[in-house]
Amino acid sequence: MTAPKFTTLGCRLNAYETEAMKELSQQAGLENAVIVNTCAVTSEAVRKARQEIRKLRRENPEARVIVTGCAAQTEPETFAAMDEVDAVIGNTEKMQPDTWKGMAADFIGQTESVQVDDIMSVTETAGHLIDGFGTRSRAYVQVQNGCDHRCTFCIIPYGRGNSRSVPAGVVVDQIKRLVDKGYNEVVLTGVDLTSWGADLPAMPKLGDLVMRILKLVPDLPRLRISSIDSIEVDENLMQAIATEQRLMPHLHLSLQHGDDLILKRMKRRHLRDDAIRFTEEAKKLRPEMTFGADIIAGFPTETEAHFENSMKLIQDCDLTWLHVFPYSKRPGTPAARIPQQVNGNVIKDRAARLRAIGETQVTAHLAQQIGKTHNILMENPNMGRTEQFTEVAFTTPQIEGQIVTKPILGITGTQLTA
């Protein structure tokens, strides 16, 4: 008998939850199984999941194949119908010890092959906390799950359910444990991070959580925030940006587009000027602040003029790290019902143009760092990241997990050198 094998597709939160499933399946005594943690963000992601499942079945003919994650949650019947799949479990079920005990107890018939409940009825956040997921230098802490918003292109709320928050005290206790273990950086993660607290007593905001962590865990050298919705940023978070050097000057923004009409058709809650105003304000408070952003190319009805507004937004907001997504129709979303007026080749071309301007922005950012001294968190002996998440290559090995202070000497490709 062999220990279960795990394959993770998709986002950082999925990777975090895979670590939880490893612990749960080990505690349950599960053996000789392959678990695929799927992503549903695009139709292409679901296609890749099916492809991966077939490959893993060929490579592990005697093992049981268990499929979970967002694609399993949103379309369980798709995976249950695959000959290669033995069991399908939902996003809530995958974080429950009893699910894995059932899987381990009897592979022949006693466990339901499809265990996927209505995720919209879930009101608790999965309390499974992983101390130290990530590298030995950086740990990720899930503080929120699910999303209450219904952007027309997005299937994720149907895979993750409504927004649920981890109470601040639980988060602070976990971060204290991580600091005691020697972690020098903690990243707060979630599906819709800026909605944290809306379901808790007194309805605190993300900025309240950030300030509380920094106050109650004084030995934490670096706190980082993952993707946020800038329209939901609260006063305390802006205050933290302005006054707390331990909060890293790098924010990834869920912008999606640069044209107001397309933003309305996406059912986003911000307009172009809101995004520009936020980035200008954050830069004023913290001049070294850098921004990443998600941008979609080729949303239905996107004209060349609409697209040009996205191109201009990259410079207007001084975005550095871009995640560019060519739009693909996602069954089950309102956008899938909008007639697609943009040719597939045009979508590819627009995505390529966005990436090209993104590369120009990265080059400019790198050039500005030469001669500056940075505090660099070492991810491995030869590479670390600055406060702005820029990679720095070292010719002389450093201690993994340590923060080293070095002047930037030059550039190699998309890395700085020190």
Side-chain angles (χ1 to χ4, degrees), residues 108 136 150 171 188 198 200 202-203 225 253 281 333 396:
I108 311 168
R136 289 196 345 231
R150 298 294 180 264
V171 175
L188 304 182
L200 296 176
M203 298 175 67
I225 300 173
L253 309 177
E281 178 67 14
T333 61
T396 308

Side-chain angles (χ1 to χ4, degrees), residues 265 298-303 306 327 338-344 346-347 350:
R265 286 177 178 165
F299 187 81
T301 76
E302 180 189 74
T303 65
H306 295 147
Y327 176 79
I338 302 173
Q340 176 54 280
Q341 296 166 21
V342 192
N343 175 286
V346 172
I347 293 175
R350 287 177 182 172

Side-chain angles (χ1 to χ4, degrees), residues 148-185:
D148 290 339
H149 309 301
R150 298 294 180 264
C151 299
T152 59
F153 56 84
C154 187
I155 197 76
I156 297 306
Y158 306 99
R160 290 282 175 185
N162 292 317
S163 182
R164 292 99 67 201
S165 309
V166 179
V170 176
V171 175
V172 168
D173 286 346
Q174 187 186 11
I175 293 174
K176 283 179 178 173
R177 289 199 302 275
L178 292 167
V179 172
D180 288 344
K181 288 185 174 186
Y183 285 92
N184 281 323
E185 183 174 298

